[in-house]
Amino acid sequence: MQSWAHLFIEQVRATSLLEWLAVLLGVAEVLLARANKVWLYPIGIASTLISVYLLLNVHLFAESLLNVYYVVMSVYGWYHWVKKRGLTPVKVSFATRREWVITLLIVFAGWGILYWLLARFTPSTVPLWDAWVSSTAWAGMWLLARRKVENWLLLNVSNLFAVPLLFHKNLAMFAVLTVFLFVVAIFGYLDWRKIAKGGKA
């Protein structure tokens, strides 16, 4: 345990200013999202672009690609918010059997395809793990776009595996941010579950 604590302290000390900035912007994005403020989008885009650069530097290529997708979806979300804010949002609900089938296809087909691409065409040292973290996050984001309660479960599977992966790549503060996101996702799941059952969050 002491060696883990020592490793964590050493990694925090070695954290670059860019990583600190990305993490602080990431925390701000989550807090703005919870407060339902449109500023979550530009703040999130800035955080994600920095993250792409840092993840590429440590050869986490699938996570980099995932973050590019985050940027695209943030731009879309920002536009959607500004142009269609007055419209009734899609209701929160539980995933159907068909949606679960699609979700599992995204997870396992995505895992296999990403692993093959990373192992064959990149110098990644963790292709299997990187691919798994990204494929589960892609599935979670698909469910999130459809306002399904289970999106939080898939995102937390991704978060759970991402934490040790980020530590392994000496991105300690990214790992801490992911722990924070893990906790937020637990409360998100409980809130959305209550809403889907007809209650209020």
Side-chain angles (χ1 to χ4, degrees):
M1 181 68 180
Q2 188 175 0
S3 61
W4 277 100
H6 178 71
L7 176 62
F8 174 71
I9 292 167
E10 288 301 310
Q11 287 189 358
V12 169
R13 285 178 181 164
T15 299
S16 68
L17 286 176
L18 266 183
E19 188 179 343
W20 278 109
L21 180 60
V23 168
L24 291 173
L25 290 172
V27 170
E29 178 193 7
V30 171
L31 296 177
L32 286 165
R34 184 163 187 180
N36 206 29
K37 302 293 184 185
V38 72
W39 276 98
L40 77 97
Y41 291 111
I43 296 292
I45 289 167
S47 172
T48 307
L49 287 173
I50 297 169
S51 299
V52 169
Y53 171 77
L54 293 171
L55 291 166
L56 282 173
N57 277 350
V58 295
H59 294 171
L60 288 177
F61 299 105
E63 284 228 50
S64 299
L65 182 62
L66 180 65
N67 276 271
V68 170
Y69 178 74
Y70 286 156
V71 171
V72 173
M73 291 308 294
S74 293
V75 171
Y76 169 76
W78 195 359
Y79 169 81
H80 193 71
W81 180 301
V82 172
K83 294 292 182 182
K84 302 181 179 180
R85 192 170 180 184
L87 298 180
T88 305
V90 177
K91 289 184 179 178
V92 171
S93 61
F94 292 100
T96 63
R97 181 177 295 185
R98 179 177 176 276
E99 286 167 331
W100 264 115
V101 169
I102 294 170
T103 298
L104 293 174
L105 278 172
I106 293 170
V107 170
F108 292 105
W111 188 21
I113 292 166
L114 282 172
Y115 169 71
W116 180 77
L117 290 170
L118 292 171
R120 188 174 179 104
F121 299 108
T122 76
S124 174
T125 58
V126 285
L128 196 66
W129 206 337
D130 193 12
W132 173 254
V133 167
S134 296
S135 67
T136 50
W138 279 88
M141 287 187 298
W142 184 78
L143 288 171
L144 176 60
R146 300 178 72 85
R147 305 273 290 171
K148 299 300 177 181
V149 175
E150 296 86 350
N151 87 85
W152 300 108
L153 300 177
L154 271 295
L155 291 174
N156 258 359
V157 169
S158 177
N159 289 334
L160 188 65
F161 284 87
V163 171
L165 178 61
L166 291 165
F167 271 121
H168 173 70
K169 289 294 186 176
N170 298 318
L171 294 171
M173 293 316 299
F174 272 13
V176 170
L177 175 61
T178 304
V179 171
F180 174 70
L181 296 176
F182 184 90
V183 173
V184 169
I186 291 172
F187 287 102
Y189 172 77
L190 294 174
D191 286 346
W192 281 36
R193 190 168 180 266
K194 190 173 181 181
I195 292 168
K197 287 187 171 182
K200 291 185 178 180

